[in-house]
């Protein structure tokens, strides 16, 4: 059972980068990197800042505040100070729209 909802137009995404949106009340960073579209919770696991304001490179997004990087596929931090994964969500492109299912994260964050 999936619950995809419209997150943003595909055209809103930079070639490499993120946009912050809210899907069903959940902050989501919709990210394009290396031709792939990803959806990751738009709150760093280290402090309450938006990951969508950070840089995107090589399939990772970097928190602008302290520099932790998170793998866009797994949500796993690849560098300190964050040690807890960030939820990542199923995402698909439907025509001109990006759809995200915020109710069924792909990873566990415990
Ligand atoms: S708030 Fe993101 S690494 Fe510190």
């Amino acid at each position: 059972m999936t619950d995809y909802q419209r997150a943003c137009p595909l055209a809103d995404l930079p070639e490499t980068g993120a946009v912050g949106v809210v899907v069903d009340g959940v902050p989501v960073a919709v990210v394009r990197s290396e031709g792939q579209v990803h959806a990751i919770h738009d709150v760093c696991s280290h402090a309450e800042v938006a990951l969508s304001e950070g840089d995107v490179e090589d399939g990772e997004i970097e928190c602008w505040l302290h520099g932790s990087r998170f793998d866009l596929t797994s949500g796993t931090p690849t560098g300190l100070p964050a040690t807890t994964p960030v939820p990542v969500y199923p995402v698909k492109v439907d025509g001109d729209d990006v759809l995200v299912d915020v109710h069924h994260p792909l990873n566990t964050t415990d």
Side-chain angles (χ1 to χ4, degrees):
M1 183 89 167
T2 55
D3 187 13
Y4 283 100
Q5 298 182 49
R6 186 175 184 276
C8 65
L10 183 61
D12 280 9
L13 291 180
E15 189 64 33
T16 299
V19 292
V21 299
V22 176
V23 180
D24 211 12
V26 178
V28 177
V30 181
V31 186
R32 181 150 56 188
S33 177
E34 299 174 324
Q36 299 289 314
V37 179
H38 304 269
I40 186 166
H41 196 65
D42 198 12
V43 183
C44 185
S45 62
H46 182 238
E48 298 260 323
V49 303
L51 290 176
S52 59
E53 293 174 21
D55 290 335
V56 174
E57 188 181 27
D58 297 336
E60 298 181 342
I61 192 165
E62 181 177 284
C63 178
W64 59 270
L65 190 54
H66 305 119
S68 278
R69 292 165 67 98
F70 296 88
D71 183 289
L72 290 165
T73 301
S74 67
T76 303
T78 60
L80 294 172
T83 56
T84 303
V86 173
V88 288
Y89 304 111
V91 61
K92 65 180 181 183
V93 175
D94 179 22
D96 295 334
D97 293 322
V98 178
L99 309 183
V100 175
D101 179 356
V102 294
H103 299 293
H104 301 93
L106 296 167
N107 57 344
T108 55
T109 56
D110 295 336

